[in-house]
Amino acid sequence: METRNTIIEILEDLCPDADCDTCTTLVDERHLDSLTMIALVADLEDSFDIEVPPVAIVADNFNSVDAIAKLVDTLVEDAE
């Protein structure tokens, strides 16, 4: 749950107009554009001490908080 809350805090700073907690189309509805995506990936890497590989930067992994949390959890587990 802490992962999810941290992601919501990051998204609220980057996408103040989106309902980040419930939105399932963050990329599809362009709440996250390419520049915002770069900032999000950088914030995730800093906050969770992970490296997001370029192949993981696809809409399916970033359309919702739950999808982002799943990606982060997987990357954290892989780093251990």
Side-chain angles (χ1 to χ4, degrees):
M1 192 64 163
E2 185 175 321
T3 299
R4 194 173 194 290
N5 292 337
T6 301
I7 293 167
I8 290 171
E9 288 176 17
I10 293 169
L11 285 171
E12 286 175 345
D13 286 340
L14 296 174
C15 311
D17 297 333
D19 180 7
C20 299
D21 190 26
T22 61
C23 186
T24 59
T25 54
L26 290 169
V27 175
D28 295 341
E29 291 185 3
R30 301 192 195 282
H31 296 293
L32 290 174
D33 60 20
S34 58
L35 293 177
T36 309
M37 184 71 80
I38 292 168
L40 173 59
V41 169
D43 287 347
L44 292 172
E45 289 179 338
D46 290 344
S47 295
F48 296 101
D49 194 29
I50 57 173
E51 184 173 324
V52 180
V55 297
I57 303 173
V58 296
D60 286 346
N61 288 336
F62 289 90
N63 258 331
S64 69
V65 172
D66 291 334
I68 299 168
K70 182 179 177 182
L71 173 65
V72 167
D73 289 342
T74 298
L75 293 172
V76 167
E77 287 175 16
D78 290 349
E80 293 177 347

